[in-house]
Structures are given as C-alpha cells and as structure tokens.
Amino acid sequence: MNVLLCSINTLKRLYDISAVEVGQHLYWQIGGFQVHAQVLITSWVVIAILLVSAIIAVRNPQTIPTDGQNFFEYVLEFIRDVSKTQIGEEYGPWVPFIGTMFLFIFVSNWSGALLPWKIIQLPQGELAAPTNDINTTVALALLTSVAYFYAGLSKKGLGYFGKYIQPTPILLPINILEDFTKPLSLSFRLFGNILADELVVVVLVSLVPLVVPIPVMFLGLFTSGIQALIFATLAAAYIGESMEGHH
C-alpha cells in the first residue's frame, strides 16, 4: 500500500512539472515598460551559455584542432554552408547574423526541453524556453525583416523599391503584402511548433504512463533543432532574395 501511494505521489509530481501554464506571466517594470520577467531570465541563461561556449572556442585555438575545437569549427562551417547556399557569394558579412539566429533558437529550444525550468517556482507563470513566448519569436522575425530590407537597400539603394512594381505595377499591393507576411510567417511557424510540442507532451503525460511520453520528448529535441535550422535557412533565403532581386 505504501509503495502504491509513493508511486502515485511520484507520478503526481512529474505531472505537475510537465504542466504548461498558459496566459500567466511574471511582470517587471523596466523604464516604464512592462516586460515578461521569465522570458528575460531564460534568455539571459541562453545568452550566457552561448557566451561561455564562444569564450571556450576562441580561448586557445590550435593548428591541429582538438575534439572541442573540431566541434565548434564544424558548427561554424555548417552555418557558413547554410548562408552561402541561400545568399550566394556575398554571404560573408551575413554569417554572424544567421549564426546568431540559429544558435539562439537552437539553444533556447533545447534548454526548454532539457533544463528542469519548472522546478523553479515563480510567484506567477513559469520558466520555459524563450521561444515559447510569442514576443520572442516576433522580435526574432522583426530582426530578420530589418536585415532583409537593409541588405536590399545597401546593395541597390532606393532602386531596391523598384521590385515592388515588377513584373507589372498591378502587383504592387501583393508584393508589399508579401514583405509584411514574411516576418509574420516566421514568427508563428516557430512559436506554433514549439508550443505544440509542449502541449503534446502534457497531454500524453496526463493520458498514459510516463514511459510513453519520454520517446516523444526525445523526438521534440530533434524537431526543435529542425525549427532552428528552418528559421535560419528562411532568414538567409530572404536576405539573398533582397540582394538578388524579386523572384
């Protein structure tokens, strides 16, 4: 009997940890603005992880790379390949931007899946991956949109806006609408997939024993990485499109 009660209590604690609180946030007042505190906290953790990794990567580079250096060089080469494939030969200046987007989203998604954020109790809301907040994904999408316009204007000047009337001025409203829907699409694609993955795990934990949701959680790690790759690839493709012309 005691064993059964212990097992029930253990499963109840695991269920509480896996729960998702929707619409509840811990707010901070910063300079007259109301911000989501839990998003800032988890974003700072992700940024700290990236900064520490960067410091380790450049601390003592070797001519013959070690295992750790090999890993960081592989990540850099992967990001360069994505940028070059989508942007073209002028990809060099955009590698830091594309790399920042990919690594921030990747580490954010994995931190939400691997770190036990929900063990830390907050007065309101809960800690989760930064990309689990629509404001974060909108900010990343708007940064991509700014980079998209900057790339086109820096390459073509005011002639960049000529693409809106190609191949015919009749398409002007559609071409303008296309540029406004790109950040919207990026934001909702990333936010929707991350939130859906968490909700699937919560539903499975509530319906079946914990043994079944665990493989789904590992699958979530894979899909989280894919979402980071999709976002970075689309961002690079948009930048390449603005530099080359309207397609």
Side-chain angles (χ1 to χ4, degrees):
M1 187 64 179
N2 291 333
V3 174
L4 179 60
L5 290 175
C6 182
S7 299
I8 293 174
N9 291 331
T10 301
L11 289 175
K12 185 178 184 300
R13 287 195 296 268
L14 289 172
Y15 174 77
D16 292 337
I17 291 175
S18 67
V20 174
E21 296 184 31
V22 179
Q24 299 185 17
H25 301 284
L26 176 64
Y27 293 103
W28 284 347
Q29 294 290 336
I30 300 179
F33 294 96
Q34 193 176 63
V35 298
H36 292 175
Q38 72 270 25
V39 177
L40 288 181
I41 294 172
T42 52
S43 295
W44 291 338
V45 172
V46 171
I47 293 171
I49 293 174
L50 292 174
L51 287 177
V52 170
S53 300
I55 293 172
I56 294 175
V58 301
R59 182 180 56 182
N60 187 26
Q62 303 291 329
T63 305
I64 301 176
T66 58
D67 292 339
Q69 187 176 338
N70 273 328
F71 172 75
F72 289 115
E73 289 184 359
Y74 172 79
V75 173
L76 176 59
E77 191 64 29
F78 176 77
I79 295 171
R80 290 180 61 187
D81 287 342
V82 171
S83 302
K84 185 176 182 180
T85 300
Q86 301 299 326
I87 298 176
E89 294 301 325
E90 300 181 12
Y91 73 96
W94 294 102
V95 171
F97 177 78
I98 301 301
T100 300
M101 287 292 176
F102 173 76
L103 292 176
F104 180 81
I105 295 173
F106 184 89
V107 176
S108 295
N109 293 348
W110 274 50
S111 70
L114 296 178
L115 298 182
W117 293 114
K118 296 178 179 63
I119 293 179
I120 304 175
Q121 298 295 321
L122 298 178
Q124 288 182 326
E126 63 181 16
L127 295 177
T131 46
N132 198 31
D133 191 289
I134 186 65
N135 298 288
T136 304
T137 60
V138 168
L140 294 173
L142 289 177
L143 282 175
T144 302
S145 186
V146 170
Y148 170 84
F149 284 107
Y150 172 79
L153 290 172
S154 62
K155 178 71 178 293
K156 303 177 181 179
L158 294 178
Y160 165 76
F161 294 105
K163 74 165 193 169
Y164 290 109
I165 57 174
Q166 295 177 0
T168 171
I170 298 176
L171 296 179
L172 175 63
I174 297 177
N175 291 333
I176 294 176
L177 182 62
E178 179 187 3
D179 276 350
F180 278 99
T181 56
K182 283 177 180 177
L184 188 65
S185 172
L186 282 174
S187 173
F188 279 98
R189 178 184 289 110
L190 178 60
F191 173 74
N193 282 280
I194 299 304
L195 181 61
D197 180 64
E198 290 201 9
L199 291 176
V200 167
V201 173
V202 170
V203 171
L204 286 177
V205 169
S206 63
L207 294 179
V208 297
L210 190 62
V211 177
V212 176
I214 286 178
V216 179
M217 296 171 70
F218 283 110
L219 179 61
L221 293 177
F222 174 75
T223 56
S224 296
I226 294 298
Q227 288 303 315
L229 176 60
I230 291 174
F231 193 101
T233 302
L234 288 176
Y238 293 158
I239 292 171
E241 177 184 340
S242 68
M243 296 174 66
E244 293 177 2
H246 185 70
H247 298 287

